[in-house]
Amino acid sequence: MKNPPFRMMAGLIPLLAACNESDLVDDKSVSGDWDTGSASSEGADWDDGGGGDGGDGWAPEQEDDFLSLRPAPTDAYVFVANPARDTVTRISVPSLAVITAGVGNEPHVVATTDDYEKAVTFNRGSDDVTIIDADTLEVRDIEVRENFNAMEMSPDGAWVACWYNADAADEIDRAAAGGAQSFNEVSFVRLSDGAHFPMVVGFNPREIRYTADGSLGVVVSDAYLAVIDLTAEVPAPERLQIAEDLIDPPTAEEVLITPNGDFALIRQFGADELVVVDLLSLEVSRVETGTNPTDLDATPDGRQAVAVARGSGELWVYDLSDPFALPDIVPVPATEVFGSVLMSPDGGKGLLFSTATGVSRYGSWDVATGEIDIHSLVKPVDRMGVSPTGNTALIFHDADANDDVDSDSPFYRNHALTLVDLEDFFANPLRLPAEPTIYDTTADGDLGFFIMEGQPYLEVVDFNTLLYTEVVLKSVPVHIGVLPDTRTVFASQEHELGRLSFLDPDSGELQTITGFELNSGIE
């Protein structure tokens, strides 16, 4: 049963059991013998790679949603979904006032509109979305099709689309269906009036993208690209066949929309071409790429796209103003197999890595010269990120990736994080007790924060010194985020009555409030 249409519980730090906890604990960075950075010459964006082996002998590059259930900020608030309590918490900035609104069952994703007027949750347990007025917290529930697990908002904040993303499905998703279930459907919801437009697209929708102006929605599946005119009175899909073989189509792993909204580029695993769809004429063409492209990313300025052709060991760089022009081809060193690229925020560097080969190395690509230098690591790469200023890389390593690790290494069978200074590539690897789950940074790019599965710690990373500091919380955190226009980080924690902690990393002061949902039954 859904919650009542509107209820909220208020709590202010001065009025609740707020307490100042101990200052930050001692630094415990690992260094010295375990440094792996090599002295070669020369937001928070995250890349986990990309979906048999594509003909090159390696499995697909793996992706997951590292920032699942991430908070959604506006200029004045941060909204946090609480799936176990069927609520969304709003934190005001700078007052730190906390108010909670009831939404649908198991809010799985929360997003805010570009004008900061609304927050929207997708509620997995009740198959609906909740539109929340950011100021009044009045809510409106809109039913969508059943058994979805993902939501994507348009850049103008006018629409959300919900669908079943098989690549992101967990055990809850797979066990949810009790009757008939389609794997071809999406729901588009217009936020201005709550109008719902369900539609059939293609089997196993993998990504939903929008043009920059929000006028078109694009849904990619393995065999079809569905183009939806969102300016129409009743939006409906134009289904375009993108796979030449409908019996056994290659996995469509990524879709990229050019900045002008004229073209969509689709990367299919194992296919030695990129599909190019003219979004105006709806014509489908193909452009050559190297063997088995496993990643496709736009440069930060949106002018180029980089395809990593893992099978042929090349980077193919396309001009997005004319995707049919001959691309530049950059060879990868013959000794290496890389399947993913992560660009620095200024576009001057690209970090090359693979989540499939089990090799403890990565490459640094100087875009201007085309040179690629190779660097060693303590373990194979699981995920990789770059700080907002582009001066530090964060490389996460999985506990199970041990084929390229000595059994006497302190990182053997342990999760790890390596901090890399991208000026001289000096590295500081840290052993971790559990898998990191959520990550955020300050806007100035000085500090990063992350939490780990089942661990009562908030980890603070200094991107300038490569040191870290560990903060012990009263209970296990499930969300973190940096409050807008501040350096203060909040941690939403497991607690039946609601618990939030706020850390000022400059003073080391930690404030915790507990029980702000005590009046959850009062309407």
Side-chain angles (χ1 to χ4, degrees):
M1 180 179 294
K2 296 183 182 179
N3 292 315
F6 178 62
R7 68 184 189 196
M8 66 183 181
M9 301 71 74
L12 301 178
I13 284 182
L15 301 179
L16 290 175
C19 58
N20 294 331
E21 298 187 352
S22 59
D23 288 347
L24 306 184
V25 301
D26 294 337
D27 290 342
K28 296 180 288 187
S29 58
V30 180
S31 57
D33 292 342
W34 305 111
D35 289 333
T36 58
S38 62
S40 66
S41 61
E42 246 252 355
D45 292 327
W46 290 92
D47 195 324
D48 309 323
D53 61 17
D56 62 7
W58 301 105
E61 301 291 317
Q62 295 302 309
E63 291 190 6
D64 57 35
D65 189 358
F66 185 68
L67 299 179
S68 62
L69 287 172
R70 57 189 178 274
T74 73
D75 58 341
Y77 307 117
V78 172
F79 290 84
V80 185
N82 307 305
R85 302 194 298 271
D86 300 339
T87 61
V88 167
T89 299
R90 190 192 74 186
I91 306 168
S92 298
V93 181
S95 68
L96 302 187
V98 177
I99 302 179
T100 298
V103 293
N105 297 337
E106 296 179 56
H108 189 57
V109 183
V110 60
T112 50
T113 57
D114 193 50
D115 59 9
Y116 299 145
E117 293 184 357
K118 301 181 184 71
V120 183
T121 65
F122 164 64
N123 310 306
R124 181 168 62 179
S126 49
D127 299 315
D128 56 16
V129 298
T130 300
I131 304 171
I132 308 166
D133 185 287
D135 290 323
T136 68
L137 288 187
E138 293 181 353
V139 301
R140 180 179 185 179
D141 295 331
I142 309 297
E143 292 187 1
V144 296
R145 300 291 289 176
E146 296 181 349
N147 302 315
F148 289 160
N149 65 355
M151 181 181 79
E152 188 75 25
M153 180 178 284
S154 64
D156 59 358
W159 295 84
V160 293
C162 301
W163 79 103
Y164 180 83
N165 184 348
D167 295 331
D170 57 21
E171 293 303 321
I172 295 176
D173 296 323
R174 285 186 279 269
Q181 182 176 4
S182 170
F183 296 92
N184 289 50
E185 299 179 2
V186 298
S187 285
F188 278 85
V189 176
R190 188 167 55 210
L191 299 184
S192 60
D193 58 4
H196 172 219
F197 300 95
M199 58 191 72
V200 174
V201 286
F203 181 72
N204 268 357
R206 296 189 178 273
E207 287 192 32
I208 295 181
R209 293 289 181 263
Y210 301 89
T211 54
D213 62 2
S215 63
L216 290 180
V218 176
V219 184
V220 64
S221 58
D222 292 343
Y224 293 93
L225 187 78
V227 181
I228 300 99
D229 180 359
L230 297 176
T231 66
E233 183 176 352
V234 180
E238 289 277 358
R239 292 183 287 267
L240 310 176
Q241 181 178 326
I242 60 173
E244 295 176 322
D245 180 3
L246 293 181
I247 303 300
D248 187 20
T251 302
E253 293 191 312
E254 290 180 286
V255 58
L256 186 154
I257 307 297
T258 58
N260 58 14
D262 288 348
F263 296 97
L265 279 68
I266 300 112
R267 178 182 64 80
Q268 299 167 306
F269 185 72
D272 298 339
E273 296 174 314
L274 299 179
V275 179
V276 181
V277 177
D278 188 317
L279 296 178
L280 301 178
S281 68
L282 301 183
E283 294 181 358
V284 178
S285 307
R286 284 170 169 77
V287 296
E288 183 183 1
T289 190
T291 305
N292 190 19
T294 51
D295 197 12
L296 177 66
D297 284 319
T299 56
D301 60 9
R303 295 179 179 180
Q304 296 175 308
V306 181
V308 182
R310 192 179 68 184
S312 52
E314 297 164 328
L315 307 177
W316 287 56
V317 184
Y318 299 85
D319 183 348
L320 287 181
S321 66
D322 181 9
F324 297 102
L326 289 175
D328 294 328
I329 302 174
V330 180
V332 170
T335 56
E336 306 301 323
V337 178
F338 294 128
S340 299
V341 63
L342 176 63
M343 302 300 299
S344 64
D346 64 2
K349 299 186 188 74
L351 299 180
L352 307 172
F353 62 100
S354 176
T355 64
T357 61
V359 175
S360 303
R361 291 190 298 276
Y362 72 98
S364 58
W365 169 36
D366 186 311
V367 175
T369 67
E371 294 181 357
I372 297 174
D373 295 324
I374 307 303
H375 310 277
S376 62
L377 292 165
V378 295
K379 298 193 74 168
V381 178
D382 181 51
R383 290 176 288 216
M384 185 176 288
V386 176
S387 64
T389 57
N391 64 324
T392 306
L394 296 90
I395 303 174
F396 287 90
H397 314 274
D398 188 75
D400 295 331
N402 297 293
D403 290 346
D404 200 29
V405 185
D406 291 337
S407 60
D408 59 352
S409 165
F411 304 101
Y412 187 69
R413 294 182 178 175
N414 284 291
H415 291 279
L417 163 65
T418 299
L419 304 172
V420 180
D421 186 323
L422 292 181
E423 288 299 319
D424 60 9
F425 295 94
F426 186 86
N428 181 21
L430 313 174
R431 185 173 63 187
L432 304 179
E435 180 182 9
T437 55
I438 299 179
Y439 166 84
D440 205 354
T441 67
T442 55
D444 58 18
D446 284 345
L447 299 175
F449 309 90
F450 69 93
I451 57 177
M452 296 172 285
E453 182 72 31
Q455 300 295 313
Y457 306 118
L458 171 62
E459 307 292 349
V460 184
V461 176
D462 188 318
F463 293 137
N464 298 311
T465 66
L466 304 186
L467 296 172
Y468 86 101
T469 304
E470 189 170 88
V471 182
V472 181
L473 303 174
K474 287 183 172 292
S475 55
V476 173
V478 291
H479 303 284
I480 61 168
V482 177
L483 299 179
D485 300 321
T486 76
R487 288 165 60 90
T488 299
V489 62
F490 76 87
S492 176
Q493 296 153 255
E494 291 181 353
H495 194 281
E496 61 182 0
L497 300 179
R499 173 173 286 165
L500 280 165
S501 293
F502 299 89
L503 172 70
D504 181 339
D506 298 317
S507 68
E509 182 181 33
L510 182 68
Q511 292 182 302
T512 298
I513 59 173
T514 301
F516 56 81
E517 290 194 0
L518 280 169
N519 294 326
S520 61
I522 300 175
E523 295 187 26

